[in-house]
């Protein structure tokens, strides 16, 4: 129809690629090489109607950015991920009330409070690494007068072109200069984040995230974090193939690169449409490992990334299969990031697989034990313990027995009397669930007594061996 196709919204089909490579390995065949650009172009043109094809071939040359995108299509066939709706009720983000606050990591961080009972802890929507000026950003001095004035779309495109030239330069100093400039612009100018999140700039940024130079890699990921703060950019960034690069940086990057990689994954996971894709692309296990990082920022952003990713069922099941329950419960017992780790456990307890794994791992006794030592834990941890117990109490016949063994009733009554309003409400509902189940057990019909009271003797209907032998001729 004459329109330009949008090749920026593609995700590599890793399942098909893995299947093909596995088939080649099993049949001792050589792995197929990705087709070159010219052959892909010929195939595409051969499928287009003749009139359109002639117009394309006779028209101007394909631009560099489109040529790069077509190369990406040749190497990574697209696959569509269906939108996964959270099972925890309406989207958390739709109920968030933003208010500015200072923190130890940044003067520009935004802290968010939520009124929903499903959110155990006030959550931030900005990664801890956002606006932090690390050593890498100060290595190249750039004054504010050098930052371009982005007053219109046309001037924005000019600035984008200048940034792309710097990012694509073969000179490392030029790359770093361009990245620091991009990082400063996108940190303070919201409109610039949208205009600069273009296929050309993302393509240039993608190559720098894999740079062997730590300073270049760190500033590239930090710039991506700033771009990802805009809601409209989040899906575009994921579909541009950044998640596997962020996973690699989280696994093997420098300490500062890992901080920004965790922050980027957290920021991208806020968008519901990205949650399934990030899980499928393999981010869950590296994020679990990053919970034990020496960096407080990496721990913080990894935990919140896992919290948002575990809002959908497919990622919950993956986390259970990865053994996340034992890992998270051990961190709760040791007190490592307990309040944030409990957020993820609350989500896992909301699915049958997670609930079963947590009950098997003695989660009830661990959570009740933390509540019993309430003087040693913070308010947020206490609230999240009660929230996790509340999730475990629903639809589980085993919960009451395990709670009784852990002497949970006395602890929950104390929370009901002295806890915060949020904790009081959940403790009250857990106790009510336990009372209701006790009444159900007391109301069960005693069939033996009923038979006796009705004049029916059990011995009257008991068929012994001799009785069967005596009456066998009747058959």
């Amino acid at each position: 129809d004459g329109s330009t196709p949008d090749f920026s919204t593609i995700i590599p089909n890793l399942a098909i690629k893995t299947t093909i490579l596995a088939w080649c390995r099993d049949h001792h065949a050589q792995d197929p090489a990705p087709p070159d650009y010219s052959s892909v172009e010929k195939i595409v043109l051969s499928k287009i109607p003749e009139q359109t094809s002639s117009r394309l071939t006779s028209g101007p040359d394909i631009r560099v950015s489109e040529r790069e995108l077509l190369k990406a299509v040749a190497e990574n066939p697209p696959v569509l991920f269906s939108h996964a709706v959270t099972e925890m009720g309406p989207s958390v983000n739709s109920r968030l009330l933003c208010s500015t606050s200072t923190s130890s990591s940044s003067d520009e961080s935004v802290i968010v409070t939520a009124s929903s009972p499903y959110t155990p802890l006030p959550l931030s929507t900005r990664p801890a690494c956002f606006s932090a000026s690390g050593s890498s950003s100060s290595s190249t001095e750039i004054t504010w007068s050098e930052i371009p004035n982005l007053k219109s779309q046309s001037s924005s495109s000019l600035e984008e072109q200048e940034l792309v030239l710097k990012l694509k330069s073969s000179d490392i100093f030029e790359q770093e200069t361009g990245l620091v400039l991009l990082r400063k612009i996108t940190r303070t100018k919201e409109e610039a984040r949208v205009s600069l999140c273009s296929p050309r700039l993302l393509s240039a940024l993608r190559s720098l995230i894999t740079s062997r130079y730590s300073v270049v890699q760190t500033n590239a990921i930090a710039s991506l974090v700033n771009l990802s703060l805009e809601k409209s950019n989040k899906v575009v960034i994921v579909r541009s193939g950044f998640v596997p690069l962020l996973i690699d940086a989280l696994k093997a990057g420098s300490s500062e690169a890992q901080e920004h990689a965790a922050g980027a994954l957290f920021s991208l996971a806020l968008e519901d449409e990205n949650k399934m894709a990030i899980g499928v692309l393999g981010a869950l296990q590296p994020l679990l490992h990053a919970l034990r990082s020496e960096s407080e920022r990496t721990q913080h952003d990894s935990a919140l990334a896992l919290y948002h990713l575990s809002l959908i069922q497919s990622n919950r099941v993956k986390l259970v299969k990865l053994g996340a329950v034992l890992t998270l419960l051990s961190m709760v017992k040791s007190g490592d990031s307990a309040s944030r780790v409990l957020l993820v456990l609350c989500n896992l307890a909301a699915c049958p697989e997670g609930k079963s794994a947590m009950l098997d791992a003695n989660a009830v006794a661990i959570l009740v034990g933390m509540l019993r030592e309430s003087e040693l834990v913070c308010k947020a941890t206490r609230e999240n313990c009660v929230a996790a117990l509340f999730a475990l109490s629903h639809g589980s016949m085993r919960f009451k027995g395990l709670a009784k063994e852990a002497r949970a009733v006395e602890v929950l009554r104390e929370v009901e009397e002295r806890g915060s309003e949020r904790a009081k409400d959940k403790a009250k509902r857990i106790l009510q669930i336990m009372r209701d189940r006790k009444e159900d057990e007391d109301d069960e019909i005693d069939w033996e007594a009923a038979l006796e009271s009705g004049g029916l003797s059990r011995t009257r209907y008991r068929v012994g061996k001799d009785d069967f032998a005596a009456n066998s001729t009747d058959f």
Side-chain angles (χ1 to χ4, degrees):
D1 59 358
S3 61
T4 303
D6 181 12
F7 291 118
S8 64
T9 56
I10 62 170
I11 297 177
N13 193 332
L14 300 180
I16 289 181
K17 181 177 180 180
T18 303
T19 302
I20 293 173
L21 295 177
W23 185 93
C24 292
R25 184 182 63 250
D26 294 341
H27 292 78
H28 305 289
Q30 186 177 1
D31 293 347
D36 60 278
Y37 173 77
S38 59
S39 62
V40 172
E41 184 179 17
K42 290 178 181 177
I43 294 173
V44 172
L45 292 176
S46 68
K47 301 296 182 181
I48 299 176
E50 184 177 353
Q51 182 179 0
T52 306
S53 178
S54 61
R55 184 172 67 250
L56 289 175
T57 53
S58 60
D61 294 337
I62 297 178
R63 292 179 299 182
V64 175
S65 59
E66 295 173 350
R67 186 178 299 276
E68 292 296 324
L69 290 171
L70 283 175
K71 287 182 180 178
V73 173
E75 297 175 359
N76 303 301
V79 58
L80 297 178
F81 290 99
S82 60
H83 175 67
V85 181
T86 173
E87 297 177 9
M88 295 288 286
S91 173
V92 175
N93 296 333
S94 64
R95 298 187 297 268
L96 296 179
L97 302 174
C98 298
S99 62
T100 57
S101 171
T102 59
S103 67
S104 59
S105 62
S106 171
D107 291 338
E108 301 176 6
S109 61
V110 178
I111 303 300
V112 199
T113 57
S115 59
S116 166
Y118 295 107
T119 308
L121 182 74
L123 302 177
S124 62
T125 57
R126 302 290 176 93
C129 62
F130 172 63
S131 288
S133 56
S135 59
S136 59
S137 61
S138 60
S139 59
T140 304
E141 294 294 333
I142 294 182
T143 62
W144 286 104
S145 60
E146 295 179 58
I147 297 179
N149 184 13
L150 305 175
K151 293 183 179 180
S152 64
Q153 185 66 29
S154 58
S155 64
S156 175
S157 61
L158 291 175
E159 308 307 337
E160 176 206 350
Q161 185 175 358
E162 291 179 8
L163 284 169
V164 169
L165 288 174
K166 286 181 177 292
L167 299 184
K168 288 195 170 186
S169 171
S170 58
D171 183 74
I172 302 301
F173 180 79
E174 276 291 298
Q175 293 176 4
E176 186 181 347
T177 303
L179 286 170
V180 172
L181 185 58
L182 174 63
R183 188 174 174 181
K184 285 186 176 181
I185 295 171
T186 54
R187 184 175 60 192
T188 57
K189 297 179 178 291
E190 295 184 5
E191 68 278 6
R193 296 176 195 153
V194 177
S195 61
L196 291 177
C197 191
S198 63
R200 292 177 62 203
L201 191 137
L202 290 178
S203 175
L205 200 59
R206 193 163 52 235
S207 63
L208 297 182
I209 290 180
T210 60
S211 174
R212 295 175 298 170
Y213 296 90
S214 176
V215 173
V216 173
Q217 182 187 47
T218 299
N219 278 300
I221 302 175
S223 299
L224 187 70
V225 172
N226 293 348
L227 289 171
S228 71
L229 297 178
E230 288 303 311
K231 181 177 175 62
S232 60
N233 292 347
K234 295 181 188 294
V235 174
V236 174
I237 290 172
V238 169
R239 291 179 174 179
S240 298
F242 280 93
V243 172
L245 305 180
L246 294 173
I247 292 173
D248 290 340
L250 188 61
K251 288 179 179 177
S254 65
S255 177
E256 193 175 357
Q258 289 177 347
E259 289 180 1
H260 291 297
L265 289 171
F266 160 45
S267 179
L268 296 172
L270 289 170
E271 177 60 43
D272 285 346
E273 196 170 339
N274 288 341
K275 290 178 171 60
M276 181 179 288
I278 294 173
V280 167
L281 292 170
L284 298 177
Q285 191 162 18
L287 286 170
L288 274 174
H289 182 72
L291 290 176
R292 298 187 182 276
S293 170
E294 296 179 357
S295 167
E296 176 68 21
R297 290 177 180 175
T298 303
Q299 292 177 20
H300 175 273
D301 288 343
S302 297
L304 291 184
L306 286 170
Y307 167 74
H308 287 283
L309 292 174
S310 61
L311 287 172
I312 66 170
Q313 175 67 8
S314 62
N315 286 337
R316 292 174 192 159
V317 174
K318 285 185 175 70
L319 283 169
V320 173
K321 290 180 178 179
L322 289 170
V325 169
L326 290 175
T327 300
L328 297 175
L329 285 176
S330 68
M331 294 185 68
V332 169
K333 286 195 292 184
S334 64
D336 295 338
S337 306
S339 61
R340 295 190 291 263
V341 169
L342 282 166
L343 291 173
V344 185
L345 287 171
C346 287
N347 285 346
L348 295 183
C351 75
E353 296 85 356
K355 193 191 305 289
S356 177
M358 288 179 66
L359 294 176
D360 290 342
N362 204 27
V364 175
I366 294 172
L367 296 172
V368 171
M370 290 202 71
L371 289 176
R372 190 171 282 115
E373 301 174 358
S374 57
E375 294 127 359
L376 303 177
V377 297
C378 64
K379 175 184 174 183
T381 301
R382 290 196 300 272
E383 289 185 352
N384 292 345
C385 278
V386 178
L389 287 170
F390 178 65
L392 288 172
S393 67
H394 282 270
S396 172
M397 300 301 293
R398 299 168 55 193
F399 176 81
K400 182 188 170 185
L402 294 171
K404 185 177 180 181
E405 289 179 10
R407 292 178 297 150
V409 173
E410 58 187 53
V411 176
L412 291 170
R413 283 177 180 165
E414 185 178 350
V415 173
E416 189 180 12
E417 293 174 1
R418 304 180 184 178
S420 64
E421 288 301 318
R422 190 184 194 86
K424 282 181 181 179
D425 178 63
K426 285 186 169 59
K428 182 178 179 180
R429 292 163 74 177
I430 296 171
L431 290 170
Q432 183 61 46
I433 289 173
M434 295 180 70
R435 281 194 294 268
D436 292 343
R437 286 183 185 161
K438 186 176 186 305
E439 291 173 2
D440 291 341
E441 290 175 0
D442 294 340
D443 291 341
E444 285 182 0
I445 299 174
D446 188 346
W447 291 103
E448 293 188 1
L451 288 170
E452 295 291 349
S453 63
L456 302 175
S457 173
R458 286 178 292 168
T459 57
R460 179 178 175 184
Y461 291 94
R462 184 179 295 132
V463 180
K465 180 173 63 176
D466 298 336
D467 296 325
F468 179 81
N471 295 310
S472 60
T473 56
D474 295 338
F475 297 96

